[in-house]
Amino acid sequence: MVIKYISFLILSVLNLAACSNILSLCPTASYSHQQSCLGIVQSLVKKGHNVTALASNPEILDPHPNLHIINMKILYDLYRKFEVENNFSVQKHLTPSDFFPPITNLLRIWTDAIFSSEVIQNMLRSKDTKFDLIIYEGLYPGLLAFKYHYNVPSIVVFTTPLYGALHFSMGNPVNPSYIPSFVTRFSDKMTFFERLMNSYYLLYEIYIHNYHSYPKMDAVMKKHFGNDIPSSKQLEMNNSLLILSGDLAQSYPMPLQPNTIQVGTLHLKPNKSLPKDLQDLMDNAKDGVIYFSLGSNMRSISLPEEKLYVFIKAFEQFPKIKVLMKWESDVEFPNKPANVYLKKWLPQSDILAHKNLKVFITHGGHQSRQEAVNYGVPLISIPLFYDQEWNAIKSFQEEAGLVVNFFEITYDKIYQALKELLTNDKYKRNMERLSTISKDKPMKNEETLTWWVEYVIRHKGAPHLRPAVQDLYWFQYTLLDIIAFILLLFFVFIYLIYFIVKKLLFSIRNKTKIKTQ
């Protein structure tokens, strides 16, 4: 007993000695983004590290003595203002060209607001503030100004799958012949036309990142840190590690450099008991429950009346099935069926964990799909923008869900999709298979995460993980300079042969002429 107690004390001292000061910068004013990023913060705090976390939804974090929060809820206000001034809304279908350019402007506005914050300005001026590591969300290369200011290593986190431009910055090969861009609805098995379009979208991602995101971020960085600061591209190319919130159950296989780690779902917490009314409803729903939520950005109350009516009519056809619907209003919609229950907010993860849940109707967001995979719940996905179509197609390809185009919603499509998922157990079996794959790892997700974060700290940025490909120009990486050199040699060789043959023929003709004379 004494030996165990002494061992515990020694381990506690070692843990304290290994404690690091970490700055987490994941500001996106979107609850789903905040969930994944702040899940990382929570894991590091539990491991004993001091974490200063910049967050737009600080309420997600559990209080802890080692946790210091910089509240950036103001970014939500800036987003609402941006929507009005730019006629921008995620409540409608957005193509990549509709989405990326305005979003880079919004990210610039948010980054400028962060640097302009009085709290951040005071922190930057303080000579006592020191950090050992920066962790930031990959949408904001401008936040690497903190890396420059504090002269520390950086780890980049991305909450959605396969963003090609960021993978390229880490040296990961992204081949469009079998790796689908996350803004497409393609799987990893593509036709000729799909590979053509996928190549275009991948190049478009890289173009936006290089010619929209970097220049905007550079301008903000120079405004606050002076003209001598390196470019955001230079700083991004020197990230120590890329942490991806995903795994092979949620994405497609692709080659990754040692500086890129897939850790799986990051935001899940131990399940809590449901509120009594929900617990009773789901416990008593012997024929099952349908859960309807379009996420934190797309609101159910924004559904056009004709589309809402389609769902109402479809739900009425399954009177014994209870329907839990996220409805962001105190006023019920007219003609609500008796089997439909409306709530402004629902504890999604705890609902998905209930044994009586049969179907999840979702927008197809990454975090929602991760939760559905974790609990083995089949999906009806109604994607609108960004990575949602990509996520939906992945579930469809795995026969773990169905997809309904938002702009092609009809009663028949919704009814048939519900009927198929409620009566055909292959979707449940396939989602449970994906759940098994997702959970079958040598370590728990948060253990993998904290081990790699501490690895980077222990090895002072772990420069040995950095592949030399990051120092090559694109034409060197693709061997175009080598191919050009070989072609040049080939044409020189051909020309020499031609020149020699021409000279020989000329010489032979001259000799023939002399002889005939």
Side-chain angles (χ1 to χ4, degrees), residues 110-216:
W110 279 345
T111 304
D112 187 44
I114 290 166
F115 290 140
S116 301
S117 162
E118 185 178 351
V119 177
I120 294 296
Q121 285 295 313
N122 290 338
M123 186 178 79
L124 290 170
R125 283 192 291 264
S126 172
K127 294 182 179 179
D128 298 324
T129 304
K130 290 181 171 47
F131 295 104
D132 301 299
L133 180 72
I134 302 292
I135 299 178
Y136 79 102
E137 189 176 359
L139 293 169
Y140 304 85
L143 292 181
L144 285 169
F146 287 102
K147 169 191 177 80
Y148 168 77
H149 181 80
Y150 291 110
N151 191 27
V152 293
S154 56
I155 290 177
V156 56
V157 178
F158 212 71
T159 59
T160 53
L162 292 178
Y163 181 43
L166 193 56
H167 277 287
F168 273 120
S169 77
M170 300 302 294
N172 293 320
V174 184
N175 189 327
S177 65
Y178 69 96
I179 299 173
S181 166
F182 81 123
V183 297
T184 69
R185 51 184 294 120
F186 305 145
S187 73
D188 57 345
K189 297 175 178 62
M190 291 174 269
T191 64
F192 171 82
F193 180 74
E194 287 173 340
R195 284 186 287 116
L196 177 65
M197 293 305 298
N198 191 51
S199 300
Y200 164 77
Y201 281 119
L202 182 61
L203 291 172
Y204 184 69
E205 281 179 47
I206 296 167
Y207 164 77
I208 289 291
H209 200 68
N210 280 274
Y211 298 102
H212 284 252
S213 182
Y214 284 148
K216 289 179 172 66

Side-chain angles (χ1 to χ4, degrees), residues 240 258-259 451-452 455-456 458-468:
S240 297
N259 60 5
W451 189 90
W452 277 103
Y455 182 90
V456 169
R458 285 196 303 271
H459 295 281
K460 310 298 182 187
H464 54 279
L465 295 178
R466 188 178 188 275

Side-chain angles (χ1 to χ4, degrees), residues 281-291 318-324 339-341 351 354-359 422:
L281 184 147
M282 296 195 74
D283 287 347
N284 295 324
K286 303 305 180 185
D287 292 293
V289 177
I290 296 168
Y291 172 52
F318 305 93
K320 293 183 179 180
I321 305 288
K322 306 298 182 186
V323 180
L324 278 177
N339 64 329
V340 175
Y341 299 83
I351 288 171
H354 198 284
K355 61 183 176 62
N356 287 340
L357 190 69
K358 302 296 184 184
V359 177
L422 290 168

Side-chain angles (χ1 to χ4, degrees), residues 194-253:
E194 287 173 340
R195 284 186 287 116
L196 177 65
M197 293 305 298
N198 191 51
S199 300
Y200 164 77
Y201 281 119
L202 182 61
L203 291 172
Y204 184 69
E205 281 179 47
I206 296 167
Y207 164 77
I208 289 291
H209 200 68
N210 280 274
Y211 298 102
H212 284 252
S213 182
Y214 284 148
K216 289 179 172 66
M217 291 293 171
D218 289 348
V220 175
M221 289 164 61
K222 288 178 180 179
K223 172 184 172 182
H224 293 279
F225 293 86
N227 292 328
D228 292 335
I229 190 169
S231 70
S232 54
K233 181 174 183 178
Q234 287 175 287
L235 293 168
E236 187 177 72
M237 295 292 284
N238 283 288
N239 282 322
S240 297
L241 195 70
L242 167 59
I243 292 175
L244 296 173
S245 172
D247 53 39
L248 289 176
Q250 303 157 16
S251 185
Y252 298 101

Side-chain angles (χ1 to χ4, degrees), residues 247 249-250 370-377 400 428-441:
D247 53 39
Q250 303 157 16
Q370 285 183 318
E371 292 172 12
V373 167
N374 186 72
Y375 297 113
V377 180
K428 177 69 173 176
R429 291 198 310 271
N430 285 325
M431 194 56 104
E432 288 176 340
R433 172 178 58 82
L434 292 177
S435 182
T436 302
I437 292 170
S438 181
K439 294 173 182 175
D440 192 1
K441 297 184 176 77

Side-chain angles (χ1 to χ4, degrees), residues 74-120:
I74 188 177
L75 299 188
Y76 277 103
D77 297 330
L78 292 173
Y79 174 62
R80 286 187 283 271
K81 181 181 177 183
F82 180 84
E83 280 187 308
V84 173
E85 292 178 349
N86 296 272
N87 192 27
F88 179 81
S89 174
V90 295
Q91 306 295 311
K92 58 186 179 182
H93 184 263
L94 296 171
T95 65
S97 56
D98 293 329
F99 180 78
F100 276 119
I103 280 295
T104 56
N105 283 326
L106 177 61
L107 297 177
R108 174 189 58 79
I109 292 168
W110 279 345
T111 304
D112 187 44
I114 290 166
F115 290 140
S116 301
S117 162
E118 185 178 351
V119 177
I120 294 296

